[in-house]
Amino acid sequence: MRKIYFLIILLCVFLNSSHASSKGKPNILFITVDDMNWNSIGAYGCKIPDITPNIDRLAEKGMRFEHAYVQASNCSPSRNVFQTSKYPHQSGMRGFFYVDANFKSLPEIMKDNGYITGVINKASDSSLSPDFDKYWNFNAKVGGIEKRSAALYGRQLNKFLTEAKSKNQPFYCVVNIADPHKPFFNDTQSIKKGFDTFKPSHIFSLEDVEVPGFLPENPEIKQEVLNYYNSVKRGDDCIGSVLDILEKSEFYDNTIVVFVSDHGMPFPYAKSSVYENGIRTPWIVLWPGNMKKGLVDSRHLVSAIDFMPTVLEIAKIPSPSGLQGKSFYPILKGEEEETSKYVFAQFDENSGGIPRPTRTILNEKFGYIFNAWATGKLPFKSAAESHTTYKTMKVLSTSNEEVKERFEHWIYRSVEELYDYENDPNALNNLIDEPAYQEVVNQLRLELEKHMLQTNDYVLSAFQNRDNLDYLNEWMKKQNEEAIQRSESIQWKRNPNRSGSTKGNTELYKVKY
């Protein structure tokens, strides 16, 4: 009898210690929105009253990073940098196809170290391969019109938290909110598909919004901008639903919330570009009881490449070799920490598989861009061509010289560009040939080349021959041929791609880095 009693006591001690250990490990809730510009948020200076009260609430309670960036300006390449701490040309996630990685991603490492992992919406864009079970214990598929439902995101998080509680494990959960991705609220396609069944909690009017400075003033463009901001509002409603569930749960006090956007708004000179409005992101971290409220970091440059090492340090999990980012965990604790002086970002190819390799380097003031494809022979191809603003700019360019110059630059660019983002945030004035800026240009070229060498970037040879247009044209011909081969054989995240249906594709892209 004594032995049984003793065993019961041991079991109780074990269960209590196990529970205490689980409580001691911080949970990570990573919330992303789709296509939301950094400055579309109240806390980041948006002038529209009450546009993002839930995101603002996060900022009021946590730390807001003023200079935060992503490494890619389209969905799947950008999101996988967060999960790998590798640049797209290193991870293989250069486009919208699946890869056979020779390394472990963040959710795999978290699973190996006792965490339950979950993804709500966009599992394909948050994973390297189509074997989602490899990464996620919980995979909530969100389809159809419910992608725009605020209540749905809260319900799915509640399901995940219930599972985490039943397993008595700390969690790493990624919540991917669809708004403000196209089609926007009140877009013709949104109405047709039924997305407008779910309305934002407040609907703004034309008087409430302004056209961004990188786009021309025009009634049709302003209407699309209005539809965008109403979708921003609905995205914020979704975040509110998620936060309400978390705050009511027993997990709140031990959960670190990280909020970002995957890249800029879906307009020319933002999404699918490496201009600042394409790659600058809102980044807010809430850590209840461990941070002062309302902190603003305006000194450090942080980017998606730093997310994985930061999460691993927070969770006290050793980082594997080969990570390209640097943890900014000390900054969250209020300690002094030096981050990189530069951010590197890129665009490789669009969702259909059409390559337009682009590289950029930014410091706290300037941004240098190299467009390997911009010899005047190849037009830029992106989803923007299907949208109102692009179509309107195209029409206006036939009669308005200023719009024509702007529109043609979007389509053809130039091989090199330099912008003073501190004084020209909308990238209106290319300084690449200005004598006064040649020292800046040369320094940024040097740093970009060093980065390309260190990361084994396939674009390096094009960069080193940037003055030879014949070389660039031949190089692009080869890139296009390889892209066609991928589109015909590699498993794709979208259907169809440039070569037609992807349903018969069976291969995975082999990581060469």
Side-chain angles (χ1 to χ4, degrees), residues 342 361 363 365-368 418-420 431-432 434-447:
Y342 304 103
I361 174 175
N363 59 22
K365 181 175 172 61
F366 293 100
Y368 166 84
L418 178 75
Y419 297 97
D420 177 356
L431 304 171
I432 195 67
E434 294 293 328
Y437 293 90
Q438 292 314 296
E439 185 176 341
V440 174
V441 171
N442 290 332
Q443 180 62 35
L444 295 180
R445 281 176 181 151
L446 179 65
E447 295 295 336

Side-chain angles (χ1 to χ4, degrees), residues 197-372:
T197 301
F198 300 102
K199 294 177 169 52
S201 57
H202 177 83
I203 297 175
F204 299 102
S205 65
L206 286 168
E207 292 73 27
D208 296 316
V209 305
E210 295 178 356
V211 175
F214 54 85
L215 297 174
E217 287 284 347
N218 174 270
E220 285 79 11
I221 292 175
K222 189 171 185 179
Q223 179 64 55
E224 189 168 42
V225 169
L226 170 62
N227 294 352
Y228 161 78
Y229 278 114
N230 280 320
S231 299
V232 168
K233 181 65 176 176
R234 189 169 55 186
D236 184 76
D237 294 339
C238 295
I239 291 170
S241 177
V242 168
L243 294 178
D244 286 346
I245 293 297
L246 177 66
E247 289 169 358
K248 292 173 184 176
S249 76
E250 64 186 67
F251 296 98
Y252 176 74
D253 290 337
N254 195 37
T255 299
I256 298 167
V257 181
V258 181
F259 164 75
V260 301
S261 174
D262 61 346
H263 47 69
M265 63 205 307
F267 293 91
Y269 288 96
K271 180 179 179 176
S272 298
S273 82
V274 296
Y275 301 112
E276 189 172 49
N277 280 300
I279 59 173
R280 190 170 177 181
T281 186
W283 195 319
I284 299 171
V285 180
L286 170 65
W287 193 353
N290 289 276
M291 298 169 62
K292 292 180 180 179
K293 294 184 178 181
L295 295 173
V296 178
D297 183 283
S298 56
R299 187 167 78 85
H300 300 94
L301 297 177
V302 298
S303 60
I305 207 83
D306 303 316
F307 177 76
M308 180 175 175
T310 303
V311 169
L312 291 176
E313 185 173 5
I314 288 171
K316 295 182 171 58
I317 298 172
S319 289
S321 61
L323 301 191
Q324 297 297 310
K326 181 180 181 182
S327 170
F328 55 83
Y329 174 58
I331 298 172
L332 300 178
K333 296 193 299 179
E335 299 174 2
E336 287 295 320
E337 179 73 5
E338 286 301 319
T339 55
S340 174
K341 295 179 180 179
Y342 304 103
V343 168
F344 302 94
Q346 62 195 83
F347 182 90
D348 289 281
E349 65 179 58
N350 67 14
S351 60
I354 298 175
R356 295 292 184 266
T358 305
R359 297 293 182 265
T360 191
I361 174 175
L362 298 90
N363 59 22
E364 58 188 14
K365 181 175 172 61
F366 293 100
Y368 166 84
I369 299 170
F370 168 64
N371 300 298

Side-chain angles (χ1 to χ4, degrees), residues 106-147:
L106 178 57
E108 294 173 88
I109 293 173
M110 299 300 276
K111 284 178 74 173
D112 289 347
N113 285 271
Y115 275 72
I116 180 173
T117 63
V119 61
I120 297 172
N121 193 27
K122 298 181 83 77
S124 63
D125 290 319
S126 304
S127 307
L128 291 167
S129 82
D131 182 9
F132 300 150
D133 292 343
K134 180 179 178 181
Y135 312 101
W136 314 107
N137 300 106
F138 178 93
N139 175 11
K141 298 176 182 178
V142 181
I145 65 173
E146 285 198 309
K147 282 188 176 183

Side-chain angles (χ1 to χ4, degrees), residues 393-401 403-404:
M393 289 178 69
K394 185 176 182 179
V395 171
L396 291 174
S397 69
T398 62
S399 58
N400 184 311
E401 194 61 35
V403 175
K404 179 182 179 182

